[in-house]
Amino acid sequence: MKKRICVFLLFLLCISTHLLAQTEDFGVWTTLGAEKKLGKWNIGAEGELRTKSNSEQIARWSLRLEGSYNIIKSLKMGAGYQYIYFHDFKYSNFQPRNRFYFFLQEKRKMGDFTFTLRERIQVTTKDESDRIKSNGKIDTYKINPDYSWRNRLKIDYNIPRCPVSPSLSVESFCQLNNPDGNKFDDMRYTLSFKYNLTKHNEIEIYGLVDKEMNVKKPEKKFVTGIGYVHSF
């Protein structure tokens, strides 16, 4: 049974890759993570690699550390740090970024459905030292550091007697320190399928649409992702 499910999930991944690769831009996101639960605390680490330009180039890789605490059964708070090595295609080099974030998350179960609302505030600092223009001056970012608010609603469905759990989420990104006025600049829609390989090992395959907003040349990205998490 497990082998059949794994083959089916890989089949979905191959099909979605073939279809989405025909769009304006397509990428593959892969993650590898580990989690440890200590009473009401949960500590985790994750590595991620992203591609773009129809998956022909690396967009970025990152390392993330996160800790969270269950205030009550349905509500938790947490914070984290993420190191991002970002590919600046304009200058054909990679630049380091540092991201710090804080979040509150509430989870409610209704029958076989679970609704999760997450509110997250993050600040990202960007290294500009390698963005040198032809006149020798630094091409600075308009917003640096970048403060933003992320709002995500996720719906999970537990299929009785089925090891695969589908979910659907919608996430908005809003600027908080744009000198020209704050506004929503990105929307993300994700459909995923999660499968517990064993009690401590979980795999997730998902399709994602990321759409920029309120910019001169908005980019629409289609992503196929696969993630693995080991808990202990």
Side-chain angles (χ1 to χ4, degrees):
M1 182 64 178
K2 290 183 178 180
K3 289 183 178 179
R4 291 181 180 179
I5 292 173
C6 290
V7 171
F8 175 69
L9 292 176
L10 290 174
F11 174 74
L12 286 179
L13 175 64
C14 293
I15 292 295
S16 60
T17 300
H18 174 73
L19 293 175
L20 294 178
Q22 308 304 313
T23 61
E24 180 181 349
D25 192 20
F26 168 75
V28 174
W29 296 0
T30 57
T31 59
L32 180 64
E35 295 180 352
K36 174 66 175 178
K37 188 172 180 62
L38 300 169
K40 291 187 176 182
W41 288 93
N42 193 74
I43 301 172
E46 180 185 84
E48 181 184 49
L49 177 67
R50 296 183 181 182
T51 65
K52 65 173 302 179
S53 301
N54 291 322
S55 203
E56 294 179 354
Q57 299 188 65
I58 294 176
R60 74 180 218 188
W61 64 262
S62 64
L63 296 173
R64 179 172 63 89
L65 298 174
E66 180 181 290
S68 62
Y69 177 79
N70 283 85
I71 303 172
I72 56 177
K73 185 177 180 180
S74 61
L75 181 66
K76 73 176 181 179
M77 62 183 295
Y81 165 75
Q82 187 174 24
Y83 175 82
I84 302 171
Y85 205 46
F86 175 79
H87 190 174
D88 188 339
F89 286 86
K90 183 177 180 180
Y91 288 92
S92 301
N93 59 38
F94 283 84
Q95 301 159 9
R97 293 183 175 184
N98 295 281
R99 175 172 295 169
F100 302 88
Y101 61 89
F102 170 82
F103 68 90
L104 283 173
Q105 179 173 294
E106 185 172 10
K107 183 180 292 186
R108 298 286 182 176
K109 189 173 183 180
M110 299 177 63
D112 293 325
F113 291 92
T114 301
F115 297 84
T116 305
L117 178 63
R118 187 188 70 186
E119 304 289 345
R120 170 170 156 174
I121 300 294
Q122 67 182 36
V123 55
T124 306
T125 61
K126 309 170 185 178
D127 191 322
E128 304 169 330
S129 59
D130 290 331
R131 292 171 56 87
I132 303 175
K133 297 187 289 186
S134 57
N135 58 8
K137 295 184 178 180
I138 299 295
D139 183 9
T140 60
Y141 290 101
K142 184 175 73 171
I143 306 175
N144 188 21
D146 186 340
Y147 289 84
S148 63
W149 163 46
R150 296 171 60 169
N151 179 305
R152 188 188 72 181
L153 176 62
K154 185 179 181 182
I155 304 174
D156 294 274
Y157 179 59
N158 177 40
I159 304 175
R161 296 180 297 277
C162 180
V164 179
S165 301
S167 68
L168 179 66
S169 68
V170 179
E171 185 173 14
S172 63
F173 295 68
C174 182
Q175 300 168 340
L176 295 179
N177 65 328
N178 188 334
D180 298 328
N182 297 324
K183 53 195 174 185
F184 287 94
D185 62 350
D186 198 275
M187 290 293 296
R188 184 175 293 175
Y189 310 90
T190 306
L191 174 64
S192 68
F193 298 89
K194 191 176 293 184
Y195 174 62
N196 290 322
L197 296 171
T198 65
K199 183 179 179 180
H200 299 286
N201 297 279
E202 178 182 275
I203 188 171
E204 181 179 22
I205 293 178
Y206 58 90
L208 179 153
V209 179
D210 188 280
K211 185 178 180 181
E212 287 185 318
M213 304 166 59
N214 298 314
V215 294
K216 292 182 179 179
K217 295 181 179 180
E219 183 181 46
K220 194 173 185 179
K221 296 190 289 289
F222 294 86
V223 173
T224 292
I226 183 168
Y228 168 81
V229 176
H230 173 74
S231 59
F232 56 97

